[in-house]
Amino acid sequence: MLCKDTQCTKDVTHMATLLPSSMPSDRHAAYYGKAFLYVHLDNQHMGGYNTVGVWQHGGDAQAFVMAEMTRRASPLVINQSIWKLIRGVSFPLATTMHATVEFPTIRTPLLTYRLTLQSDKWRQDGFAPMVQQNIGGESKYHVGLNPLSPSVDINFYAVADHLQLQFWKPHDLQAHLKIDWYGSIGKCVLRYGPSILNYMFVMALVALVNGMPSVPLLFFYGSR
């Protein structure tokens, strides 16, 4: 609710983004009845109002509110080649609660990546850092990141212009992204394994036919 002095008259719940719960104990990005609401209000939304009010329904002891006043930050663009991502690239995240990072060179789903968050001051209160990956209309959340589990696999199947990562975090973080070779090899085997087997079968059949010149090729296709 937006308020002026003691009068709260404008409901802005419809402007909130629904996010999965990301507490230190959460491991799956499913809502299970618990969720976060994230609201970004610009100056134009606050015209005539000077206070934001939050109403709590029920008596949930784990409910909390975090707020900050800051300018909307532009997305950080990491325009590094795939060859640079072999060794990995490190980048700082904006000091704001929400940050967006884009990778124009990551477009195809042939490779998987490993994202690791680093911080000197992991906080145990409030919520745990959360990452949302977006590419070509495909979206996935990674929740509950903590010092014991600071890494996630960035794996997708869509093809688009770029990969976008959004971060929600209670404190400053550094991030490191690199190609996950074991995951990439496993993905290629699962994706193209049947095609490879068919190719090997065809090549073996061709070698067999070439090694038996006395047998008419028509024999392998049936007689008329």
Side-chain angles (χ1 to χ4, degrees):
M1 299 289 291
L2 297 184
C3 313
K4 184 176 182 180
D5 299 328
T6 59
Q7 300 295 321
C8 298
T9 58
K10 185 175 181 180
D11 188 355
V12 293
T13 307
H14 65 282
M15 298 176 57
T17 301
L18 186 66
L19 300 173
S21 174
S22 182
M23 302 301 289
S25 59
D26 290 327
R27 291 294 176 269
H28 302 285
Y31 290 95
Y32 294 118
K34 295 182 178 181
F36 291 169
L37 291 176
Y38 172 77
V39 182
H40 184 98
L41 299 174
D42 292 322
N43 290 334
Q44 59 183 357
H45 300 130
M46 295 297 296
Y49 299 93
N50 55 19
T51 310
V52 178
V54 179
W55 266 251
Q56 180 180 351
H57 299 280
D60 188 355
Q62 294 184 338
F64 64 91
V65 175
M66 295 187 67
E68 65 177 358
M69 296 183 63
T70 183
R71 295 180 181 273
R72 185 186 292 270
S74 301
L76 174 64
V77 179
I78 307 295
N79 198 10
Q80 298 286 353
S81 67
I82 295 298
W83 295 110
K84 291 289 184 64
L85 291 174
I86 292 177
R87 299 187 61 182
V89 56
S90 296
F91 51 93
L93 298 176
T95 56
T96 55
M97 190 183 306
H98 174 256
T100 301
V101 184
E102 296 180 350
F103 299 86
T105 57
I106 300 180
R107 305 186 185 96
T108 64
L110 294 179
L111 301 174
T112 62
Y113 302 85
R114 190 72 172 172
L115 175 69
T116 302
L117 301 184
Q118 304 166 343
S119 177
D120 296 330
K121 51 179 182 178
W122 287 92
R123 290 175 52 179
Q124 299 302 320
D125 58 327
F127 69 97
M130 170 173 42
V131 182
Q132 180 190 18
Q133 63 179 65
N134 297 291
I135 183 169
E138 179 183 324
S139 179
K140 182 179 179 180
Y141 287 93
H142 306 276
V143 301
L145 300 178
N146 57 69
L148 300 179
S149 180
S151 300
V152 294
D153 293 324
I154 304 299
N155 184 23
F156 54 89
Y157 297 92
V159 178
D161 292 337
H162 66 278
L163 170 69
Q164 181 191 77
L165 299 179
Q166 295 193 67
F167 299 82
W168 285 268
K169 52 193 177 54
H171 50 74
D172 295 344
L173 288 173
Q174 284 274 128
H176 183 80
L177 184 73
K178 68 176 181 179
I179 294 175
D180 181 359
W181 286 111
Y182 290 105
S184 299
I185 292 173
K187 186 176 183 179
C188 290
V189 170
L190 291 176
R191 190 181 183 100
Y192 300 107
S195 300
I196 295 175
L197 291 177
N198 290 335
Y199 175 78
M200 294 175 62
F201 173 75
V202 171
M203 294 303 296
L205 189 61
V206 171
L208 180 62
V209 171
N210 291 334
M212 301 174 62
S214 61
V215 179
L217 184 61
L218 187 62
F219 171 79
F220 290 94
Y221 295 91
S223 59
R224 296 182 179 180

